[in-house]
Amino acid sequence: MEGFVRFFENTGFANVTPGHLLMILVGLLFIFLAIRYEYKPLLLVPIGFGILIGNTPFVEHAGLHLGIYEDGSVMNYLYMGVLKGIFPPLIFLGIGALTDFSPLISNPKLMLLGGAAQLGIFLTYIGAISLGFTNPEAASIGIIGGADGPTAIFLSSKLAPHLIGPIAIAAYSYMALLPVIQTPIMRLLTTKKERRIKMKPPRSVSKMEKILFPVVALLLTGFIAPGSLPLLGMLFFGNLLKESMVTQRLAETARNTMIDIVTIVLGLTIGASTQATTFLTQQSMHIFVLGATAFMFSTAGGVLFAKIMNLFLSTENKINPLIGAAGVSAVPDSALVVQMEGLKADPENHLIMHAMAPNVAGVIGSAVAAGIMMSFLL
Amino acid sequence: MTTIVHLLPIDLSAIGHEHLTLAVIGYSVVFLSLFLLFLVFSVLPNFLARNLRKKFQKESGEKKTALAVTTIPGEVGAAIATAIALYLEELHDEESAILTIKKVGKSYSPWNSKIYNVINFNRFQR
């Protein structure tokens, strides 16, 4: 009987708390959204399942080495890739090998939109300070406004490792909810006439320009913000593998197999890091609120800056201000939101190619912002 | 309203000069780095085009006479293209005589055996 009692005490039924059940429901919701509505399935399925793994109750710190926060557990070893900031640069390598920078090179002025849309990062940083977060914590929360999961994980692993779970969950959840967050702001800040602006088709880009871009961009951004080197170094390296055309095997591996493996482990461990006992705190709730406002401010920053640019541009070179919203990274989701919104205003106006330019510039902008935060606060 | 204030205890006095400085400098540096990229890639295509033009001019100077001879009128080009297309279409009849039929061997399994077929009427008749 005593053995049975001991066994029962070790089961999940004896250790379950309302928090565990709530988080299990969240995990199930993620999996449901991913499978039923195909919302970011490649991220939400691993994260959702990770939440289930992380919130299956057990006796913590009893020498079983099960939990992600217990030294020596398998999940803890995998989580090291997140904590030490190893996975985000590897993801960036894959993104670089996937990304075509041609729209950006053909119309370089759109790079500025990628900078403007980082407004949310810095406003949210100030907001987080006013909510009582410390300087490094506030910077890690602010970077959610960059709408770039790997960058958010990378910066928080360096500045506030104890907040990685909520920050990553907020960043990825809001990326899945981009259409809901961005569309009202885009409509609020633009007139129907502005949404109908047709932009000049982008010019073709030579191979030489495509090869020069990753090299020049790395040196420029690296000299300005060396803190962004782990991310931007890998991003531009991956892009050079793609554009040089002589390392197709490496580019193929980086953009397929490698990014898939890292995404699986990253998603699963991020999900498992939401263990109810450490995740469900008031701080986490504040992070979710701040994350949403960060996305809103970033969207507004991009759209408003596009409108300001239009004041100085000739009629034939005018920018459709909707593409400013794509300046928040979230490649390619925010560009797709812009395309959808543009089509609603004019069914013949396809903005996707134009929107990809600020979209990829946003990736560079948010990584530079992370580098600057690191230089200031580390 | 009280509930929101309780849930989000905003304290504006916590925002110091150093925080504002970081925000302003950070945002400006992000802008600056992308602005520099913009400048470089606004100039670069012109620079590359000028180099290319120089190269062409140099080549055209050396081979001016040769080019004059080798310049082919459009009609001649069209005729050559038609001839090539016709020739390539004719090639259709030239097949390599290699047979690609391969013997497909099926390993024996009682699951696909005709002996145990469920509609093996002959066995029932016996």
Side-chain angles (χ1 to χ4, degrees):
Chain A
M1 190 62 191
E2 197 181 309
F4 178 75
V5 171
R6 201 178 305 139
F7 164 73
F8 183 75
E9 280 171 357
N10 276 324
T11 63
F13 297 106
N15 294 291
V16 70
T17 63
H20 285 116
L21 294 176
L22 180 67
M23 288 310 294
I24 287 172
L25 282 178
V26 172
L28 291 173
L29 176 72
F30 274 32
I31 295 170
F32 171 74
L33 289 175
I35 295 172
R36 180 74 178 83
Y37 297 107
E38 294 191 21
Y39 278 166
K40 286 244 164 214
L42 299 181
L43 287 171
L44 291 192
V45 170
I47 292 177
F49 207 81
I51 293 175
L52 299 187
I53 293 175
N55 288 285
T56 304
F58 58 87
V59 189
E60 282 180 48
H61 305 294
L64 296 170
H65 301 299
L66 294 172
I68 196 161
Y69 295 111
E70 288 181 86
D71 288 340
S73 75
V74 177
M75 292 305 278
N76 185 259
Y77 281 120
L78 294 176
Y79 193 48
M80 282 298 146
V82 176
L83 276 180
K84 301 287 176 196
I86 298 166
F87 294 150
L90 292 177
I91 296 259
F92 261 61
L93 177 67
I95 294 173
L98 272 167
T99 307
D100 181 9
F101 285 103
S102 311
L104 192 62
I105 302 168
S106 69
N107 198 353
K109 64 175 175 286
L110 299 182
M111 285 182 199
L112 300 176
L113 294 176
Q118 309 311 319
L119 179 71
I121 294 179
F122 298 99
L123 287 182
T124 308
Y125 160 74
I126 297 290
I129 292 286
S130 73
L131 278 175
F133 285 97
T134 63
N135 231 346
E137 286 173 345
S140 307
I141 295 165
I143 205 74
I144 298 173
D148 198 333
T151 308
I153 293 167
F154 182 74
L155 189 66
S156 46
S157 73
K158 302 287 175 198
L159 297 181
H162 55 290
L163 295 181
I164 285 184
I167 287 173
I169 294 287
Y172 283 119
S173 312
Y174 291 137
M175 270 157 70
L177 293 172
L178 264 183
V180 183
I181 298 172
Q182 286 198 307
T183 312
I185 295 164
M186 288 154 76
R187 284 189 196 161
L188 188 74
L189 297 177
T190 54
T191 62
K192 193 152 191 183
K193 194 183 164 197
E194 284 173 327
R195 292 199 289 272
R196 281 183 179 156
I197 293 176
K198 282 193 177 164
M199 293 174 65
K200 270 203 308 196
R203 69 170 174 87
S204 63
V205 174
S206 69
K207 189 186 168 188
M208 178 61 92
E209 285 174 275
K210 284 184 183 179
I211 292 173
L212 281 175
F213 183 79
V215 179
V216 174
L218 171 73
L219 293 175
L220 258 177
T221 51
F223 270 76
I224 292 171
S228 60
L229 270 178
L231 294 174
L232 289 181
M234 293 300 244
L235 178 83
F236 292 130
F237 171 54
N239 191 246
L240 187 63
L241 291 180
K242 173 180 178 277
E243 300 299 353
S244 66
M245 304 293 280
V246 289
T247 49
Q248 282 308 306
R249 271 173 55 190
L250 303 186
E252 200 67 34
T253 306
R255 65 170 161 251
N256 292 319
T257 322
M258 202 198 66
I259 201 171
D260 287 350
I261 292 170
V262 181
T263 304
I264 290 170
V265 186
L266 181 74
L268 205 65
T269 47
I270 286 295
S273 72
T274 62
Q275 218 166 282
T277 43
T278 52
F279 186 78
L280 286 177
T281 60
Q282 202 183 15
Q283 262 196 341
S284 301
M285 300 307 127
H286 288 167
I287 290 169
F288 286 125
V289 175
L290 287 165
T293 48
F295 266 61
M296 289 175 196
F297 281 128
S298 289
T299 306
V303 174
L304 290 175
F305 193 78
K307 289 177 73 145
I308 294 169
M309 279 174 80
N310 273 344
L311 298 176
F312 303 97
L313 292 169
S314 57
T315 320
E316 70 271 18
N317 285 325
K318 286 254 189 278
I319 297 171
N320 189 316
L322 287 179
I323 68 165
V328 302
S329 319
V331 181
D333 304 86
S334 53
L336 289 172
V337 174
V338 170
Q339 161 79 354
M340 300 300 284
E341 210 42 40
L343 285 179
K344 275 181 201 162
D346 179 355
E348 286 175 8
N349 196 4
H350 295 275
L351 293 170
I352 184 91
M353 278 306 285
H354 304 289
M356 281 310 290
N359 207 190
V360 290
V363 177
I364 301 171
S366 58
V368 171
I372 295 161
M373 296 283 205
M374 269 172 64
S375 321
F376 264 89
L377 301 170
L378 266 180
Chain B
M1 190 66 186
T2 322
T3 324
I4 294 170
V5 172
H6 179 70
L7 285 173
L8 291 172
I10 297 168
D11 177 16
L12 293 177
S13 63
I15 303 167
H17 282 295
E18 70 277 16
H19 305 123
L20 292 172
T21 311
L22 192 155
V24 172
I25 292 180
Y27 196 40
S28 312
V29 174
V30 170
F31 240 102
L32 176 75
S33 52
L34 286 163
F35 182 72
L36 287 176
L37 260 180
F38 153 66
L39 282 184
V40 171
F41 281 88
S42 301
V43 177
L44 192 71
N46 298 335
F47 179 73
L48 289 175
R50 204 173 57 183
N51 270 3
L52 208 65
R53 217 176 305 138
K54 269 186 188 170
K55 198 180 161 190
F56 281 147
Q57 276 171 357
K58 203 178 166 188
E59 279 179 8
S60 68
E62 285 167 2
K63 299 176 183 174
K64 211 170 185 179
T65 340
L67 268 174
V69 178
T70 52
T71 308
I72 303 164
E75 295 90 336
V76 179
I80 293 169
T82 317
I84 291 171
L86 287 171
Y87 173 71
L88 288 174
E89 273 177 25
E90 273 177 24
L91 283 181
H92 175 72
D93 292 336
E94 285 182 30
E95 298 275 333
S96 68
I98 300 165
L99 290 175
T100 52
I101 299 167
K102 283 181 185 170
K103 189 188 172 189
V104 178
K106 271 188 182 175
S107 55
Y108 172 78
S109 158
W111 295 102
N112 66 7
S113 171
K114 284 183 181 172
I115 307 167
Y116 301 110
N117 205 315
V118 282
I119 49 169
N120 199 338
F121 297 113
N122 292 337
R123 280 179 74 187
F124 285 111
Q125 281 166 5
R126 261 186 269 142

